[in-house]
Amino acid sequence: MHNPYMSPIEKAWFYLHRTLSGLTLLFLVLPVLVIIPLSFNESSFLVYPLTGFSMRWYHDFFTSAEWMRSLKNSLIVAPSATVLAMVFGTLAAVGLTRTEFRGKALLMSLLISPMVVPVVIVGVAGYLFFAPLGMDASYFTLILMHAALGVPFVVITVTATLQGFNHNLVRAAASLGASPLRSFFKVTLPLIAPGVISGALFAFGTSFDEVVVTIFIAGPEQATLPRAMFSGIRENLSPTIAAAATLLIAFSVVMLLTLEWLRGRGERLRTSPAKA
């Protein structure tokens, strides 16, 4: 509700601002939503108007050996990369937050550089590094590269969570005889868990959606779902790709809702001591 005491100019700006915001949101979301009806179309072509309703392309997706292999690869690589990113990113964030030393800003910049550097450069660099070692076209290398892309998200979210962390709780645990490792798992980790999980979800989404690095690093047997979709668009454009894209959209929506829930939970955890 707008303020009833607004001037005519302020009222005009109020409605204009919301109209522009709505049109911008529609411009960003509409290209994504357009693909969803096409995945239920009877036609073998990605065209409008729709000729009829059919689940044929979802059946093709779940019965195709190639699509299932790529989905299996994504479900192998993404969780593994997420675990590595979550562990190393959390440890890095905790270490950087607790100590002050020369070169801290430089180290932080290096940790988040995979988020800033163009992905094609990361892919080329990874290939040039691992290929001479004979480690390209392997799950291990692909997981490492995806983990490197996910670490910056974990570092940023955990660092932000630690900004409001009460370190007196750790000191109290130490005064009661808890070792640093025990105090971390019993005190620090439960309180920063929303930030850790949020970073892990971002890392998982990044790995699950990554295609450029996968093209450079993975072999045919390690092709993930995004790479299979990319290859299908170039070689054989089929509505099955629309079905796969719709499933990825649904996954993204679930992930965003989970992140919003975690954000609310983290906010409640930060404000509850103050209310007490």
Side-chain angles (χ1 to χ4, degrees):
M1 294 294 292
H2 64 81
N3 191 337
Y5 300 102
M6 287 180 175
S7 66
I9 295 179
E10 289 174 332
K11 289 182 179 180
W13 170 247
F14 177 86
Y15 290 111
L16 178 62
H17 178 264
R18 277 152 182 75
T19 301
L20 291 175
S21 299
L23 291 175
T24 302
L25 180 62
L26 183 64
F27 175 78
L28 294 174
V29 174
L30 191 59
V32 177
L33 298 180
V34 162
I35 200 68
I36 297 177
L38 292 174
S39 67
F40 298 99
N41 191 15
E42 278 186 343
S43 173
S44 299
F45 302 95
L46 296 173
V47 293
Y48 281 99
L50 304 181
T51 59
F53 179 85
S54 174
M55 297 292 292
R56 166 188 173 186
W57 309 116
Y58 290 92
H59 179 268
D60 287 350
F61 177 82
F62 287 108
T63 57
S64 169
E66 181 180 353
W67 284 108
M68 286 298 97
R69 183 176 68 250
S70 63
L71 179 61
K72 183 192 73 173
N73 289 336
S74 290
L75 294 177
I76 291 174
V77 173
S80 303
T82 300
V83 171
L84 290 179
M86 183 172 59
V87 171
F88 292 117
T90 301
L91 293 178
V94 171
L96 289 171
T97 304
R98 287 185 176 181
T99 59
E100 294 292 336
F101 56 90
R102 183 178 299 178
K104 178 179 176 179
L106 177 61
L107 181 58
M108 185 68 175
S109 300
L110 290 175
L111 287 173
I112 66 173
S113 61
M115 182 188 295
V116 181
V117 176
V119 184
V120 64
I121 295 178
V122 178
V124 172
Y127 175 78
L128 293 177
F129 178 81
F130 288 109
L133 301 176
M135 296 178 62
D136 59 321
S138 69
Y139 285 106
F140 178 74
T141 303
L142 189 59
I143 290 170
L144 284 182
M145 292 297 299
H146 281 210
L149 294 175
V151 163
F153 294 98
V154 181
V155 170
I156 290 175
T157 56
V158 175
T159 300
T161 305
L162 286 170
Q163 295 301 319
F165 182 76
N166 186 359
H167 293 280
N168 289 328
L169 298 175
V170 178
R171 299 187 185 98
S175 68
L176 294 174
S179 64
L181 188 62
R182 183 175 178 83
S183 64
F184 174 78
F185 282 104
K186 294 295 185 180
V187 179
T188 305
L189 188 58
L191 292 176
I192 66 172
V196 175
I197 298 174
S198 297
L201 286 175
F202 277 117
F204 183 87
T206 300
S207 174
F208 201 85
D209 188 53
E210 177 54 45
V211 62
V212 178
V213 170
T214 307
I215 290 175
F216 282 99
I217 299 297
E221 295 300 320
Q222 294 83 39
T224 58
L225 183 59
R227 178 175 171 179
M229 294 174 65
F230 181 78
S231 300
I233 291 174
R234 289 190 310 164
E235 300 167 5
N236 182 25
L237 189 58
S238 167
T240 307
I241 297 176
T246 301
L247 293 174
L248 289 179
I249 292 171
F251 164 76
S252 300
V253 170
V254 172
M255 188 178 70
L256 289 174
L257 291 175
T258 305
L259 286 172
E260 182 61 23
W261 177 79
L262 289 171
R263 186 198 63 79
R265 183 176 183 274
E267 187 68 24
R268 290 193 297 271
L269 287 174
R270 286 194 294 270
T271 56
S272 58
K275 292 180 180 179

